[in-house]
Amino acid sequence: MKEQSKILIVEDDTSLAEGLKRALATETVETDSCATLREAKLRLKKSTWDLVLLDVNLPEGSGLDLLARIRKESDIPVILLTANDLETDIVNGLELGAEDYITKPFSLAVLRARVNTQLRKKLHRKEQNNTEVRVFQSGKYHFDFLRMKFLIQGKRVELSKTEQKLLLILTENQGITMSRSDLIDRVWTGEAEFVDENALSVTVKRLRDKLDAQDMIKTIYGVGYTWVKEYE
């Protein structure tokens, strides 16, 4: 039996919302819609969703406020729908945690492709979480990525989401040099083109400092970074 996905469409143009519901619904995708921030908050509380299509411009406020609230409570993928092709709106949305955006008027084929990309990514993450223990143990380090517990000699360290992503990639590929471009693509999925390359250097430095891992996270000059493999 195929995995079922649920999409919530938050759009005050009811005719557009109905069209999106019909266009995105399939055997494996269930769609529903609401027109206000208040109703969206209720739907998000009552049900589990796999993706939210969120209009930025809603009658009683900005969809970005709802996005900020969603990000505090969950990692549901969010695609922004906006009539404003403004760089500030795009940047603000991505910085608040949106996975993607699309500007009205848009092609349904393009929207379907972007929606399907996010659903595939979410399913892949779910499958990984179901099949992998995702615990890294080496020397003084104990990292439990599922429970988000990161210990150095038994002492807990708090890491940001970005630092956690980078650490997971490095430790999963222990002893392998990861290129800067690959790390940027994988850490900042869906927004790599908007990320300054210096952001990776800054994140690496913060991670080294927090974990006291100057000897473990090695810079391979001109290439990228590696988590040093310890041999018994």
Side-chain angles (χ1 to χ4, degrees), residues 151-163:
L151 307 177
I152 307 174
Q153 294 178 332
K155 185 178 179 180
R156 189 161 184 166
V157 177
E158 295 298 328
L159 300 179
S160 70
K161 291 288 187 183
T162 301
E163 291 160 358

Side-chain angles (χ1 to χ4, degrees), residues 9-14 16-17 20 53-58 79-86 101-107 111 114:
I9 301 164
V10 186
E11 169 60 65
D12 64 303
D13 182 333
T14 54
L16 175 58
L20 291 175
L53 286 182
L54 176 59
D55 188 6
V56 171
N57 302 298
L58 293 166
I79 297 178
L80 298 177
L81 305 176
T82 177
N84 300 326
D85 190 13
L86 296 175
Y101 70 93
I102 190 163
T103 305
K104 300 175 185 176
F106 49 78
S107 158
L111 180 62
R114 293 187 176 186

Side-chain angles (χ1 to χ4, degrees), residues 12 17 22 24 54-55 60 73 77 123 148 163 173 176-177 184 191 202 217 219 222-223:
D12 64 303
R22 291 193 297 271
L24 297 173
L54 176 59
D55 188 6
E60 80 275 44
E73 299 172 354
L123 179 59
M148 292 185 290
E163 291 160 358
N173 295 277
I176 299 171
T177 300
I184 290 171
E191 54 186 286
V202 172
I217 302 175
T219 300
V223 183

